[in-house]
Amino acid sequence: MNLGISGRWALVCAASKGLGKGCAAALVQEGVHVVITARGDAALQATAAELRALNPAVQVLAVAGDITTAEGRAAALAACPQVDILVNNAGGPPPGDFRDWDRDTWLKALDANMLTPIALMQAVIDPMATRGFGRIVNITSAAVKAPIDVLGLSNGARSGLTGFVAGVARQPRVANANVTINNLLPGPFDTDRLRATAAGAAAKAGKSIDEVLAQRRQANPSGRFGTAQEFGAYCAFLCSVHAGYITGQNLLLDGGAYPGTF
Ligand code: NAP
């Protein structure tokens, strides 16, 4: 299937590794020019080189910076000639006990997983509507649908973003201007983040990381973790010309882990 987005420009946030990188790779393979961001410049430049090798016909620009800061967002937006596609992503908040979280801890989580994607949407939606094409994908978490107790910061901050998106996606000059906004909700995907959380759980339980990973794979109906490539392919479809009638949705990619009928 030709996704019909060759020559478009995408800003893919937090994309030197993991799910963001998977999205950038899928878009690049469809002929989309990308601006990718991350804080660490070495991994970002390495990923940019990989993406250029995937499709030498597209432009890949790498902007190092913290996307949760105003400066980081301004630099990313300035590098992108026009944002036709926005993939919102940032690191997830740490696990813990809600009794330990003070106001600053909450503000950090809200900044990363709610206010940053909202600020970027604010910057790009009206120009997208004027051009009559826009695709916004927010990487959130399966925790929005089925909370994970130790990830209260994520459950809370991402639910705030989800509520905001539900309203704005349906507004005039958004939905009727061919600008779609959807949230992708990952279950367990094989990335550095998943391995880091498994390392924490292993240390706590006195098990090896491999044991914890094997148990988690078995606990999923698919018997495995998802791959960043699978995640990216779904994201690229949502960014395609064919997905203009899908908006305001929360789309779960979890190998069947969520047990509900709907
Ligand atoms: P990952 O493999 O750790 O990759 C995270 C990427 O984001 C890296 O490129 C990292 O680079 C970049 N990044 C982190 N904080 C950033 C910031 N403030 N500004 C700019 N770039 C930043 O993580 P992932 O598994 O792909 O997860 C992506 C998102 O999905 C996270 O919010 C995570 O909580 C959520 N999620 C993941 C899973 C899963 O199973 N993997 C499940 C549910 C939800 P730098 O560190 O160099 O900045």
Side-chain angles (χ1 to χ4, degrees), residues 13-20 37-41 43 65-68 89-93 113 139-143 154 158 186-194:
C13 305
S16 66
K17 298 177 188 166
L19 304 179
T37 83
R39 292 163 303 179
D41 195 41
D66 185 339
I67 203 68
T68 69
N89 186 31
N113 298 117
I139 300 179
T140 67
S141 173
S154 172
R158 296 187 200 275
F189 275 78
D190 194 355
T191 66
D192 284 5
R193 161 125 178 135
L194 179 135

PDB file of all heavy atoms in Angstrom, residues 13-20 37-41 43 65-68 89-93 113 139-143 154 158 186-194, ligand 1:
ATOM      1  N   CYS A  13       9.467  13.280  17.980  1.00  0.00           N
ATOM      2  CA  CYS A  13      10.155  13.627  19.236  1.00  0.00           C
ATOM      3  C   CYS A  13      10.679  12.374  19.932  1.00  0.00           C
ATOM      4  O   CYS A  13      10.056  11.307  19.856  1.00  0.00           O
ATOM      5  CB  CYS A  13       9.183  14.337  20.170  1.00  0.00           C
ATOM      6  SG  CYS A  13       8.405  15.772  19.433  1.00  0.00           S
ATOM      7  N   ALA A  14      11.795  12.537  20.617  1.00  0.00           N
ATOM      8  CA  ALA A  14      12.361  11.443  21.427  1.00  0.00           C
ATOM      9  C   ALA A  14      12.549  10.196  20.571  1.00  0.00           C
ATOM     10  O   ALA A  14      11.940   9.152  20.831  1.00  0.00           O
ATOM     11  CB  ALA A  14      11.476  11.176  22.642  1.00  0.00           C
ATOM     12  N   ALA A  15      13.401  10.308  19.566  1.00  0.00           N
ATOM     13  CA  ALA A  15      13.433   9.273  18.523  1.00  0.00           C
ATOM     14  C   ALA A  15      14.814   8.680  18.265  1.00  0.00           C
ATOM     15  O   ALA A  15      15.041   8.088  17.212  1.00  0.00           O
ATOM     16  CB  ALA A  15      12.873   9.857  17.220  1.00  0.00           C
ATOM     17  N   SER A  16      15.744   8.803  19.223  1.00  0.00           N
ATOM     18  CA  SER A  16      17.045   8.166  18.966  1.00  0.00           C
ATOM     19  C   SER A  16      16.996   6.672  19.254  1.00  0.00           C
ATOM     20  O   SER A  16      17.861   5.919  18.819  1.00  0.00           O
ATOM     21  CB  SER A  16      18.150   8.826  19.804  1.00  0.00           C
ATOM     22  OG  SER A  16      17.950   8.586  21.180  1.00  0.00           O
ATOM     23  N   LYS A  17      15.971   6.258  20.006  1.00  0.00           N
ATOM     24  CA  LYS A  17      15.853   4.843  20.403  1.00  0.00           C
ATOM     25  C   LYS A  17      14.385   4.450  20.441  1.00  0.00           C
ATOM     26  O   LYS A  17      13.502   5.295  20.370  1.00  0.00           O
ATOM     27  CB  LYS A  17      16.409   4.646  21.824  1.00  0.00           C
ATOM     28  CG  LYS A  17      17.866   4.958  21.989  1.00  0.00           C
ATOM     29  CD  LYS A  17      18.265   4.794  23.444  1.00  0.00           C
ATOM     30  CE  LYS A  17      19.682   5.286  23.669  1.00  0.00           C
ATOM     31  NZ  LYS A  17      19.991   5.443  25.087  1.00  0.00           N
ATOM     32  N   GLY A  18      14.157   3.165  20.614  1.00  0.00           N
ATOM     33  CA  GLY A  18      12.840   2.653  20.985  1.00  0.00           C
ATOM     34  C   GLY A  18      11.709   2.984  20.027  1.00  0.00           C
ATOM     35  O   GLY A  18      11.867   2.957  18.799  1.00  0.00           O
ATOM     36  N   LEU A  19      10.553   3.299  20.614  1.00  0.00           N
ATOM     37  CA  LEU A  19       9.328   3.461  19.830  1.00  0.00           C
ATOM     38  C   LEU A  19       9.399   4.683  18.911  1.00  0.00           C
ATOM     39  O   LEU A  19       8.935   4.637  17.773  1.00  0.00           O
ATOM     40  CB  LEU A  19       8.123   3.577  20.773  1.00  0.00           C
ATOM     41  CG  LEU A  19       7.950   2.412  21.765  1.00  0.00           C
ATOM     42  CD1 LEU A  19       6.737   2.635  22.658  1.00  0.00           C
ATOM     43  CD2 LEU A  19       7.829   1.080  21.026  1.00  0.00           C
ATOM     44  N   GLY A  20       9.994   5.773  19.398  1.00  0.00           N
ATOM     45  CA  GLY A  20      10.137   6.964  18.556  1.00  0.00           C
ATOM     46  C   GLY A  20      10.992   6.670  17.334  1.00  0.00           C
ATOM     47  O   GLY A  20      10.669   7.075  16.211  1.00  0.00           O
ATOM     48  N   THR A  37      14.497  14.119  17.450  1.00  0.00           N
ATOM     49  CA  THR A  37      15.112  14.746  18.624  1.00  0.00           C
ATOM     50  C   THR A  37      15.443  13.694  19.679  1.00  0.00           C
ATOM     51  O   THR A  37      14.874  12.602  19.692  1.00  0.00           O
ATOM     52  CB  THR A  37      14.183  15.796  19.287  1.00  0.00           C
ATOM     53  OG1 THR A  37      13.270  15.136  20.157  1.00  0.00           O
ATOM     54  CG2 THR A  37      13.409  16.618  18.271  1.00  0.00           C
ATOM     55  N   ALA A  38      16.337  14.049  20.559  1.00  0.00           N
ATOM     56  CA  ALA A  38      16.669  13.301  21.788  1.00  0.00           C
ATOM     57  C   ALA A  38      17.658  14.180  22.533  1.00  0.00           C
ATOM     58  O   ALA A  38      18.223  15.118  21.949  1.00  0.00           O
ATOM     59  CB  ALA A  38      17.285  11.950  21.489  1.00  0.00           C
ATOM     60  N   ARG A  39      17.878  13.871  23.810  1.00  0.00           N
ATOM     61  CA  ARG A  39      18.834  14.678  24.580  1.00  0.00           C
ATOM     62  C   ARG A  39      20.275  14.281  24.249  1.00  0.00           C
ATOM     63  O   ARG A  39      21.134  15.125  24.051  1.00  0.00           O
ATOM     64  CB  ARG A  39      18.553  14.532  26.078  1.00  0.00           C
ATOM     65  CG  ARG A  39      17.231  15.165  26.492  1.00  0.00           C
ATOM     66  CD  ARG A  39      16.789  14.657  27.831  1.00  0.00           C
ATOM     67  NE  ARG A  39      16.668  13.201  27.818  1.00  0.00           N
ATOM     68  CZ  ARG A  39      16.321  12.451  28.845  1.00  0.00           C
ATOM     69  NH1 ARG A  39      16.055  13.020  29.996  1.00  0.00           N
ATOM     70  NH2 ARG A  39      16.237  11.150  28.743  1.00  0.00           N
ATOM     71  N   GLY A  40      20.542  13.005  24.188  1.00  0.00           N
ATOM     72  CA  GLY A  40      21.908  12.530  23.957  1.00  0.00           C
ATOM     73  C   GLY A  40      22.276  12.614  22.484  1.00  0.00           C
ATOM     74  O   GLY A  40      21.644  11.961  21.638  1.00  0.00           O
ATOM     75  N   ASP A  41      23.309  13.417  22.184  1.00  0.00           N
ATOM     76  CA  ASP A  41      23.624  13.685  20.778  1.00  0.00           C
ATOM     77  C   ASP A  41      24.249  12.480  20.064  1.00  0.00           C
ATOM     78  O   ASP A  41      23.982  12.261  18.883  1.00  0.00           O
ATOM     79  CB  ASP A  41      24.555  14.907  20.675  1.00  0.00           C
ATOM     80  CG  ASP A  41      24.603  15.440  19.244  1.00  0.00           C
ATOM     81  OD1 ASP A  41      23.526  15.486  18.608  1.00  0.00           O
ATOM     82  OD2 ASP A  41      25.703  15.779  18.772  1.00  0.00           O
ATOM     83  N   ALA A  43      23.848   9.112  20.374  1.00  0.00           N
ATOM     84  CA  ALA A  43      22.852   8.127  19.896  1.00  0.00           C
ATOM     85  C   ALA A  43      21.963   8.745  18.824  1.00  0.00           C
ATOM     86  O   ALA A  43      21.569   8.077  17.854  1.00  0.00           O
ATOM     87  CB  ALA A  43      22.002   7.635  21.064  1.00  0.00           C
ATOM     88  N   GLY A  65      18.278  17.938  22.130  1.00  0.00           N
ATOM     89  CA  GLY A  65      17.672  18.830  23.116  1.00  0.00           C
ATOM     90  C   GLY A  65      16.601  18.113  23.904  1.00  0.00           C
ATOM     91  O   GLY A  65      16.158  17.031  23.519  1.00  0.00           O
ATOM     92  N   ASP A  66      16.227  18.738  25.007  1.00  0.00           N
ATOM     93  CA  ASP A  66      15.199  18.178  25.876  1.00  0.00           C
ATOM     94  C   ASP A  66      13.841  18.700  25.420  1.00  0.00           C
ATOM     95  O   ASP A  66      13.549  19.887  25.568  1.00  0.00           O
ATOM     96  CB  ASP A  66      15.493  18.596  27.332  1.00  0.00           C
ATOM     97  CG  ASP A  66      14.536  17.951  28.313  1.00  0.00           C
ATOM     98  OD1 ASP A  66      13.436  17.524  27.905  1.00  0.00           O
ATOM     99  OD2 ASP A  66      14.893  17.890  29.503  1.00  0.00           O
ATOM    100  N   ILE A  67      13.016  17.816  24.907  1.00  0.00           N
ATOM    101  CA  ILE A  67      11.730  18.226  24.322  1.00  0.00           C
ATOM    102  C   ILE A  67      10.757  18.715  25.396  1.00  0.00           C
ATOM    103  O   ILE A  67       9.759  19.362  25.079  1.00  0.00           O
ATOM    104  CB  ILE A  67      11.127  17.064  23.478  1.00  0.00           C
ATOM    105  CG1 ILE A  67      10.141  17.582  22.429  1.00  0.00           C
ATOM    106  CG2 ILE A  67      10.499  15.987  24.351  1.00  0.00           C
ATOM    107  CD1 ILE A  67      10.688  18.375  21.326  1.00  0.00           C
ATOM    108  N   THR A  68      11.070  18.432  26.671  1.00  0.00           N
ATOM    109  CA  THR A  68      10.173  18.896  27.736  1.00  0.00           C
ATOM    110  C   THR A  68      10.464  20.346  28.144  1.00  0.00           C
ATOM    111  O   THR A  68       9.803  20.876  29.032  1.00  0.00           O
ATOM    112  CB  THR A  68      10.252  17.984  28.986  1.00  0.00           C
ATOM    113  OG1 THR A  68      11.540  18.155  29.597  1.00  0.00           O
ATOM    114  CG2 THR A  68      10.049  16.528  28.631  1.00  0.00           C
ATOM    115  N   ASN A  89       6.384  12.282  21.779  1.00  0.00           N
ATOM    116  CA  ASN A  89       6.961  11.225  22.590  1.00  0.00           C
ATOM    117  C   ASN A  89       7.972  11.860  23.540  1.00  0.00           C
ATOM    118  O   ASN A  89       8.525  12.921  23.257  1.00  0.00           O
ATOM    119  CB  ASN A  89       7.670  10.208  21.682  1.00  0.00           C
ATOM    120  CG  ASN A  89       8.187   8.986  22.418  1.00  0.00           C
ATOM    121  OD1 ASN A  89       7.616   8.558  23.419  1.00  0.00           O
ATOM    122  ND2 ASN A  89       9.282   8.414  21.923  1.00  0.00           N
ATOM    123  N   ALA A  90       8.174  11.228  24.680  1.00  0.00           N
ATOM    124  CA  ALA A  90       9.224  11.626  25.643  1.00  0.00           C
ATOM    125  C   ALA A  90       9.411  10.454  26.581  1.00  0.00           C
ATOM    126  O   ALA A  90       8.611   9.516  26.563  1.00  0.00           O
ATOM    127  CB  ALA A  90       8.806  12.878  26.422  1.00  0.00           C
ATOM    128  N   GLY A  91      10.439  10.495  27.367  1.00  0.00           N
ATOM    129  CA  GLY A  91      10.647   9.413  28.315  1.00  0.00           C
ATOM    130  C   GLY A  91       9.478   9.317  29.289  1.00  0.00           C
ATOM    131  O   GLY A  91       8.804  10.302  29.562  1.00  0.00           O
ATOM    132  N   GLY A  92       9.243   8.108  29.789  1.00  0.00           N
ATOM    133  CA  GLY A  92       8.169   7.917  30.772  1.00  0.00           C
ATOM    134  C   GLY A  92       8.656   8.254  32.169  1.00  0.00           C
ATOM    135  O   GLY A  92       9.860   8.183  32.454  1.00  0.00           O
ATOM    136  N   PRO A  93       7.744   8.631  33.071  1.00  0.00           N
ATOM    137  CA  PRO A  93       8.139   8.934  34.447  1.00  0.00           C
ATOM    138  C   PRO A  93       8.593   7.683  35.200  1.00  0.00           C
ATOM    139  O   PRO A  93       8.232   6.574  34.808  1.00  0.00           O
ATOM    140  CB  PRO A  93       6.864   9.503  35.071  1.00  0.00           C
ATOM    141  CG  PRO A  93       5.768   9.303  34.122  1.00  0.00           C
ATOM    142  CD  PRO A  93       6.304   8.749  32.854  1.00  0.00           C
ATOM    143  N   ASN A 113       4.734  14.386  29.937  1.00  0.00           N
ATOM    144  CA  ASN A 113       3.757  13.476  29.333  1.00  0.00           C
ATOM    145  C   ASN A 113       2.377  14.081  29.101  1.00  0.00           C
ATOM    146  O   ASN A 113       1.475  13.402  28.638  1.00  0.00           O
ATOM    147  CB  ASN A 113       3.646  12.198  30.179  1.00  0.00           C
ATOM    148  CG  ASN A 113       4.970  11.449  30.239  1.00  0.00           C
ATOM    149  OD1 ASN A 113       5.560  11.291  31.305  1.00  0.00           O
ATOM    150  ND2 ASN A 113       5.483  11.050  29.089  1.00  0.00           N
ATOM    151  N   ILE A 139       2.395   9.177  21.523  1.00  0.00           N
ATOM    152  CA  ILE A 139       2.733   7.892  22.138  1.00  0.00           C
ATOM    153  C   ILE A 139       2.413   8.013  23.616  1.00  0.00           C
ATOM    154  O   ILE A 139       3.010   8.830  24.329  1.00  0.00           O
ATOM    155  CB  ILE A 139       4.224   7.538  21.913  1.00  0.00           C
ATOM    156  CG1 ILE A 139       4.524   7.448  20.408  1.00  0.00           C
ATOM    157  CG2 ILE A 139       4.563   6.221  22.617  1.00  0.00           C
ATOM    158  CD1 ILE A 139       5.977   7.116  20.071  1.00  0.00           C
ATOM    159  N   THR A 140       1.422   7.252  24.079  1.00  0.00           N
ATOM    160  CA  THR A 140       1.056   7.326  25.499  1.00  0.00           C
ATOM    161  C   THR A 140       1.406   5.994  26.155  1.00  0.00           C
ATOM    162  O   THR A 140       2.573   5.601  26.157  1.00  0.00           O
ATOM    163  CB  THR A 140      -0.425   7.748  25.684  1.00  0.00           C
ATOM    164  OG1 THR A 140      -1.299   6.739  25.207  1.00  0.00           O
ATOM    165  CG2 THR A 140      -0.707   9.070  25.008  1.00  0.00           C
ATOM    166  N   SER A 141       0.421   5.253  26.639  1.00  0.00           N
ATOM    167  CA  SER A 141       0.728   3.977  27.301  1.00  0.00           C
ATOM    168  C   SER A 141      -0.549   3.182  27.511  1.00  0.00           C
ATOM    169  O   SER A 141      -1.631   3.766  27.703  1.00  0.00           O
ATOM    170  CB  SER A 141       1.374   4.236  28.664  1.00  0.00           C
ATOM    171  OG  SER A 141       1.520   3.014  29.360  1.00  0.00           O
ATOM    172  N   ALA A 142      -0.410   1.864  27.517  1.00  0.00           N
ATOM    173  CA  ALA A 142      -1.545   1.004  27.879  1.00  0.00           C
ATOM    174  C   ALA A 142      -2.025   1.323  29.289  1.00  0.00           C
ATOM    175  O   ALA A 142      -3.161   1.018  29.651  1.00  0.00           O
ATOM    176  CB  ALA A 142      -1.134  -0.465  27.777  1.00  0.00           C
ATOM    177  N   ALA A 143      -1.171   1.969  30.076  1.00  0.00           N
ATOM    178  CA  ALA A 143      -1.536   2.336  31.452  1.00  0.00           C
ATOM    179  C   ALA A 143      -2.691   3.332  31.495  1.00  0.00           C
ATOM    180  O   ALA A 143      -3.331   3.491  32.537  1.00  0.00           O
ATOM    181  CB  ALA A 143      -0.322   2.910  32.186  1.00  0.00           C
ATOM    182  N   SER A 154       2.649   8.230  35.495  1.00  0.00           N
ATOM    183  CA  SER A 154       2.302   8.001  34.089  1.00  0.00           C
ATOM    184  C   SER A 154       0.785   7.898  33.939  1.00  0.00           C
ATOM    185  O   SER A 154       0.188   8.544  33.063  1.00  0.00           O
ATOM    186  CB  SER A 154       2.986   6.719  33.601  1.00  0.00           C
ATOM    187  OG  SER A 154       2.543   6.364  32.322  1.00  0.00           O
ATOM    188  N   ARG A 158      -0.672  11.025  31.705  1.00  0.00           N
ATOM    189  CA  ARG A 158      -1.123  10.615  30.357  1.00  0.00           C
ATOM    190  C   ARG A 158      -2.643  10.646  30.247  1.00  0.00           C
ATOM    191  O   ARG A 158      -3.176  10.879  29.165  1.00  0.00           O
ATOM    192  CB  ARG A 158      -0.587   9.229  30.031  1.00  0.00           C
ATOM    193  CG  ARG A 158       0.949   9.165  29.940  1.00  0.00           C
ATOM    194  CD  ARG A 158       1.348   7.796  29.454  1.00  0.00           C
ATOM    195  NE  ARG A 158       2.708   7.414  29.738  1.00  0.00           N
ATOM    196  CZ  ARG A 158       3.772   7.713  29.004  1.00  0.00           C
ATOM    197  NH1 ARG A 158       3.641   8.474  27.946  1.00  0.00           N
ATOM    198  NH2 ARG A 158       4.973   7.265  29.319  1.00  0.00           N
ATOM    199  N   PRO A 186       1.105   1.811  23.848  1.00  0.00           N
ATOM    200  CA  PRO A 186       1.913   0.588  23.847  1.00  0.00           C
ATOM    201  C   PRO A 186       1.739  -0.223  25.120  1.00  0.00           C
ATOM    202  O   PRO A 186       1.728   0.316  26.225  1.00  0.00           O
ATOM    203  CB  PRO A 186       3.353   1.110  23.726  1.00  0.00           C
ATOM    204  CG  PRO A 186       3.310   2.524  24.212  1.00  0.00           C
ATOM    205  CD  PRO A 186       1.920   3.032  23.984  1.00  0.00           C
ATOM    206  N   GLY A 187       1.608  -1.531  24.936  1.00  0.00           N
ATOM    207  CA  GLY A 187       1.811  -2.478  26.024  1.00  0.00           C
ATOM    208  C   GLY A 187       3.312  -2.731  26.084  1.00  0.00           C
ATOM    209  O   GLY A 187       4.103  -1.826  25.804  1.00  0.00           O
ATOM    210  N   PRO A 188       3.746  -3.947  26.396  1.00  0.00           N
ATOM    211  CA  PRO A 188       5.191  -4.193  26.502  1.00  0.00           C
ATOM    212  C   PRO A 188       5.896  -4.308  25.149  1.00  0.00           C
ATOM    213  O   PRO A 188       5.584  -5.199  24.356  1.00  0.00           O
ATOM    214  CB  PRO A 188       5.267  -5.518  27.270  1.00  0.00           C
ATOM    215  CG  PRO A 188       3.960  -6.186  27.035  1.00  0.00           C
ATOM    216  CD  PRO A 188       2.946  -5.106  26.801  1.00  0.00           C
ATOM    217  N   PHE A 189       6.794  -3.385  24.895  1.00  0.00           N
ATOM    218  CA  PHE A 189       7.616  -3.394  23.668  1.00  0.00           C
ATOM    219  C   PHE A 189       9.075  -3.535  24.056  1.00  0.00           C
ATOM    220  O   PHE A 189       9.519  -2.964  25.060  1.00  0.00           O
ATOM    221  CB  PHE A 189       7.403  -2.103  22.869  1.00  0.00           C
ATOM    222  CG  PHE A 189       6.200  -2.177  21.973  1.00  0.00           C
ATOM    223  CD1 PHE A 189       4.931  -2.013  22.494  1.00  0.00           C
ATOM    224  CD2 PHE A 189       6.343  -2.463  20.624  1.00  0.00           C
ATOM    225  CE1 PHE A 189       3.806  -2.123  21.686  1.00  0.00           C
ATOM    226  CE2 PHE A 189       5.229  -2.570  19.803  1.00  0.00           C
ATOM    227  CZ  PHE A 189       3.958  -2.402  20.333  1.00  0.00           C
ATOM    228  N   ASP A 190       9.796  -4.260  23.228  1.00  0.00           N
ATOM    229  CA  ASP A 190      11.195  -4.572  23.528  1.00  0.00           C
ATOM    230  C   ASP A 190      12.086  -3.361  23.252  1.00  0.00           C
ATOM    231  O   ASP A 190      12.585  -3.175  22.148  1.00  0.00           O
ATOM    232  CB  ASP A 190      11.627  -5.766  22.666  1.00  0.00           C
ATOM    233  CG  ASP A 190      12.932  -6.353  23.164  1.00  0.00           C
ATOM    234  OD1 ASP A 190      13.520  -5.781  24.100  1.00  0.00           O
ATOM    235  OD2 ASP A 190      13.363  -7.372  22.608  1.00  0.00           O
ATOM    236  N   THR A 191      12.239  -2.519  24.266  1.00  0.00           N
ATOM    237  CA  THR A 191      13.062  -1.307  24.128  1.00  0.00           C
ATOM    238  C   THR A 191      13.933  -1.170  25.380  1.00  0.00           C
ATOM    239  O   THR A 191      13.760  -1.908  26.351  1.00  0.00           O
ATOM    240  CB  THR A 191      12.174  -0.047  24.036  1.00  0.00           C
ATOM    241  OG1 THR A 191      11.499   0.114  25.294  1.00  0.00           O
ATOM    242  CG2 THR A 191      11.146  -0.132  22.918  1.00  0.00           C
ATOM    243  N   ASP A 192      14.804  -0.167  25.350  1.00  0.00           N
ATOM    244  CA  ASP A 192      15.656   0.102  26.524  1.00  0.00           C
ATOM    245  C   ASP A 192      14.815   0.356  27.772  1.00  0.00           C
ATOM    246  O   ASP A 192      15.166  -0.048  28.871  1.00  0.00           O
ATOM    247  CB  ASP A 192      16.543   1.332  26.272  1.00  0.00           C
ATOM    248  CG  ASP A 192      17.706   1.011  25.350  1.00  0.00           C
ATOM    249  OD1 ASP A 192      17.748  -0.131  24.836  1.00  0.00           O
ATOM    250  OD2 ASP A 192      18.555   1.900  25.148  1.00  0.00           O
ATOM    251  N   ARG A 193      13.700   1.070  27.570  1.00  0.00           N
ATOM    252  CA  ARG A 193      12.847   1.409  28.730  1.00  0.00           C
ATOM    253  C   ARG A 193      12.322   0.130  29.380  1.00  0.00           C
ATOM    254  O   ARG A 193      12.330  -0.003  30.596  1.00  0.00           O
ATOM    255  CB  ARG A 193      11.689   2.302  28.282  1.00  0.00           C
ATOM    256  CG  ARG A 193      10.528   2.329  29.270  1.00  0.00           C
ATOM    257  CD  ARG A 193      10.149   3.712  29.722  1.00  0.00           C
ATOM    258  NE  ARG A 193       9.010   3.701  30.625  1.00  0.00           N
ATOM    259  CZ  ARG A 193       8.932   4.393  31.739  1.00  0.00           C
ATOM    260  NH1 ARG A 193       9.933   5.140  32.120  1.00  0.00           N
ATOM    261  NH2 ARG A 193       7.855   4.365  32.495  1.00  0.00           N
ATOM    262  N   LEU A 194      11.855  -0.809  28.544  1.00  0.00           N
ATOM    263  CA  LEU A 194      11.322  -2.063  29.088  1.00  0.00           C
ATOM    264  C   LEU A 194      12.419  -2.811  29.845  1.00  0.00           C
ATOM    265  O   LEU A 194      12.200  -3.343  30.933  1.00  0.00           O
ATOM    266  CB  LEU A 194      10.751  -2.916  27.948  1.00  0.00           C
ATOM    267  CG  LEU A 194      10.181  -4.276  28.356  1.00  0.00           C
ATOM    268  CD1 LEU A 194       8.836  -4.519  27.681  1.00  0.00           C
ATOM    269  CD2 LEU A 194      11.127  -5.391  27.989  1.00  0.00           C
TER     270      LEU A 194
HETATM  271  P1  NAP B   1      13.370   4.211  25.221  1.00  0.00           P
HETATM  272  O1  NAP B   1      13.695   2.994  24.464  1.00  0.00           O
HETATM  273  O2  NAP B   1      14.002   4.430  26.549  1.00  0.00           O
HETATM  274  O3  NAP B   1      13.639   5.476  24.280  1.00  0.00           O
HETATM  275  C1  NAP B   1      13.318   6.749  24.739  1.00  0.00           C
HETATM  276  C2  NAP B   1      13.775   7.777  23.705  1.00  0.00           C
HETATM  277  O4  NAP B   1      13.298   9.051  24.106  1.00  0.00           O
HETATM  278  C3  NAP B   1      15.280   7.907  23.589  1.00  0.00           C
HETATM  279  O5  NAP B   1      15.600   8.225  22.265  1.00  0.00           O
HETATM  280  C4  NAP B   1      15.585   9.069  24.535  1.00  0.00           C
HETATM  281  O6  NAP B   1      16.828   9.675  24.219  1.00  0.00           O
HETATM  282  C5  NAP B   1      14.395   9.962  24.220  1.00  0.00           C
HETATM  283  N1  NAP B   1      14.028  10.905  25.271  1.00  0.00           N
HETATM  284  C6  NAP B   1      13.713  10.598  26.562  1.00  0.00           C
HETATM  285  N2  NAP B   1      13.431  11.727  27.237  1.00  0.00           N
HETATM  286  C7  NAP B   1      13.575  12.752  26.356  1.00  0.00           C
HETATM  287  C8  NAP B   1      13.423  14.155  26.466  1.00  0.00           C
HETATM  288  N3  NAP B   1      13.073  14.730  27.620  1.00  0.00           N
HETATM  289  N4  NAP B   1      13.645  14.917  25.364  1.00  0.00           N
HETATM  290  C9  NAP B   1      14.002  14.359  24.193  1.00  0.00           C
HETATM  291  N5  NAP B   1      14.146  13.022  24.029  1.00  0.00           N
HETATM  292  C10 NAP B   1      13.934  12.244  25.110  1.00  0.00           C
HETATM  293  O7  NAP B   1      11.776   4.293  25.551  1.00  0.00           O
HETATM  294  P2  NAP B   1      10.548   3.635  24.752  1.00  0.00           P
HETATM  295  O8  NAP B   1      10.322   2.278  25.284  1.00  0.00           O
HETATM  296  O9  NAP B   1      10.696   3.863  23.306  1.00  0.00           O
HETATM  297  O10 NAP B   1       9.338   4.500  25.337  1.00  0.00           O
HETATM  298  C11 NAP B   1       8.815   5.639  24.667  1.00  0.00           C
HETATM  299  C12 NAP B   1       7.592   6.102  25.464  1.00  0.00           C
HETATM  300  O11 NAP B   1       6.617   5.058  25.474  1.00  0.00           O
HETATM  301  C13 NAP B   1       7.911   6.422  26.930  1.00  0.00           C
HETATM  302  O12 NAP B   1       7.143   7.517  27.359  1.00  0.00           O
HETATM  303  C14 NAP B   1       7.456   5.157  27.649  1.00  0.00           C
HETATM  304  O13 NAP B   1       7.106   5.388  28.981  1.00  0.00           O
HETATM  305  C15 NAP B   1       6.247   4.769  26.803  1.00  0.00           C
HETATM  306  N6  NAP B   1       5.935   3.340  26.942  1.00  0.00           N
HETATM  307  C16 NAP B   1       6.813   2.386  26.576  1.00  0.00           C
HETATM  308  C17 NAP B   1       6.473   1.040  26.738  1.00  0.00           C
HETATM  309  C18 NAP B   1       7.430  -0.067  26.364  1.00  0.00           C
HETATM  310  O14 NAP B   1       7.140  -1.241  26.646  1.00  0.00           O
HETATM  311  N7  NAP B   1       8.543   0.183  25.742  1.00  0.00           N
HETATM  312  C19 NAP B   1       5.219   0.705  27.265  1.00  0.00           C
HETATM  313  C20 NAP B   1       4.338   1.708  27.623  1.00  0.00           C
HETATM  314  C21 NAP B   1       4.704   3.033  27.452  1.00  0.00           C
HETATM  315  P3  NAP B   1      17.646  10.523  25.338  1.00  0.00           P
HETATM  316  O15 NAP B   1      17.572   9.732  26.613  1.00  0.00           O
HETATM  317  O16 NAP B   1      19.015  10.644  24.765  1.00  0.00           O
HETATM  318  O17 NAP B   1      16.943  11.840  25.451  1.00  0.00           O
END
